[in-house]
């Protein structure tokens, strides 16, 4: 006789929390996330279905495998992971658990998810982030992004938080820790100010590079 796990039929999808790195496709047309542990090799979209990272043909989550999306019940538990050195550049995600799932003491392993919100930490200098900029690493076809303030963006490939939300789609809400919530539907005054600050920072950086080239030319 085989024991069967108890089945749940919630009226609404359960909510979970996790951390991940924001990513931008090589051609700049798509935005998503990549995990910080086992599933880090498989970037995913805001609304996506889990795949077995071992290449097996079974559906995730399989009881005899550890594949599937993972999240925890408590946002504080997920946020605590951001304190470790290797996860400082990650963002905090709020997700809806969709499809089949297996419940554990601290969270879920599940088949599908919708990322509802992303909270971006401060820039490396400590200022509130206004953009997500090239982090200097990535996956095949995807650039990893990290939080940046207007003064630290420089000439790196970058997106404002509003632009990232639009590319990611599916109604994703993005906010900077200590800043306003950004949604993809449209830009408010605060988002337009952030966009203008990012553009000004890029212009300042290009002007500084032109000045350096001019100085070198004069010395030569």
């Amino acid at each position: 006789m085989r024991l069967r796990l108890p089945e749940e039929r919630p009226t609404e999808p359960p909510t979970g929390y996790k951390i991940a790195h924001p990513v931008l496709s090589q051609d700049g047309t798509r935005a998503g996330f990549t995990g910080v542990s086992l599933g880090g090799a498989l970037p995913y979209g805001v609304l996506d279905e889990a795949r077995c990272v071992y290449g097996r043909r079974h559906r995730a989550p399989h009881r005899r495998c550890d594949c599937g999306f993972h999240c925890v019940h408590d946002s504080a538990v997920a946020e605590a992971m951001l304190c470790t050195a290797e996860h400082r550049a990650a963002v905090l995600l709020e997700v809806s658990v969709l499809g089949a799932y297996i419940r554990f003491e601290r969270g879920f392993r599940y088949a599908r998810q919708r990322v509802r919100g992303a909270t971006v930490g401060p820039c490396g200098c400590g200022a509130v982030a206004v953009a997500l900029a090239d982090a200097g690493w990535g996956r095949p076809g995807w650039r990893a992004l990290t939080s940046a303030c207007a003064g630290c963006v420089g000439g790196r490939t970058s997106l404002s938080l509003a632009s990232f939300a639009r590319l990611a789609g599916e109604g994703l809400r993005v906010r900077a820790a200590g800043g306003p919530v950004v949604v993809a539907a449209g830009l408010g005054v605060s988002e337009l100010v952030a966009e203008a600050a990012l553009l000004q920072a890029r212009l300042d950086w290009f002007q500084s590079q032109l000045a350096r080239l001019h100085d070198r030319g004069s010395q030569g």
Side-chain angles (χ1 to χ4, degrees):
M1 180 177 178
R2 295 180 61 185
L3 295 176
R4 298 184 62 182
L5 294 175
E7 294 186 0
E8 298 182 33
R9 298 187 181 277
T11 57
E12 295 183 357
T15 296
Y17 302 89
K18 62 196 300 182
I19 63 173
H21 295 287
V23 292
L24 176 67
S25 64
Q26 183 178 2
D27 59 8
T29 61
R30 292 175 295 159
F33 301 94
T34 189
V36 298
S37 57
L38 180 66
L42 299 174
Y44 54 86
V46 170
L47 179 62
D48 214 334
E49 186 169 345
R51 303 179 297 281
C52 180
V53 295
Y54 303 110
R56 297 169 184 165
R57 296 182 179 180
H58 56 236
R59 287 186 176 183
H62 196 277
R63 289 176 59 186
R64 296 183 179 179
C65 186
D66 53 6
C67 60
F69 290 123
H70 295 72
C71 71
V72 295
H73 300 304
D74 189 348
S75 62
V77 174
E79 195 168 359
M81 300 177 192
L82 297 172
C83 294
T84 62
E86 63 270 29
H87 298 153
R88 287 289 178 96
V91 300
L92 177 67
L93 303 183
E94 177 186 331
V95 302
S96 290
V97 174
L98 306 175
Y101 62 81
I102 300 173
R103 181 187 288 272
F104 295 93
E105 180 181 0
R106 304 187 95 187
F108 298 97
R109 181 161 63 89
Y110 51 103
R112 299 178 66 239
Q113 76 177 4
R114 180 189 296 274
V115 182
R116 299 202 307 253
T119 301
V120 179
C123 175
C125 71
V128 175
V130 298
L132 291 167
D134 191 340
W137 64 275
R139 309 295 184 199
W142 295 88
R143 292 186 179 92
L145 304 176
T146 188
S147 56
C149 68
C152 293
V153 169
R156 290 181 290 169
T157 298
S158 61
L159 292 171
S160 68
L161 302 187
S163 295
F164 183 87
R166 285 197 300 273
L167 277 183
E170 300 292 340
L172 176 67
R173 305 187 309 272
V174 181
R175 69 180 295 268
V181 176
V182 177
V183 295
L187 296 179
V189 174
S190 58
E191 288 77 42
L192 288 172
V193 170
E195 292 273 5
L198 181 57
L199 289 173
Q200 184 62 53
R202 286 175 173 169
L203 179 59
D204 292 342
W205 184 84
F206 281 117
Q207 287 177 335
S208 67
Q209 297 304 304
L210 287 173
R212 289 181 183 179
L213 290 174
H214 182 268
D215 291 342
R216 289 178 184 176
S218 300
Q219 293 172 2

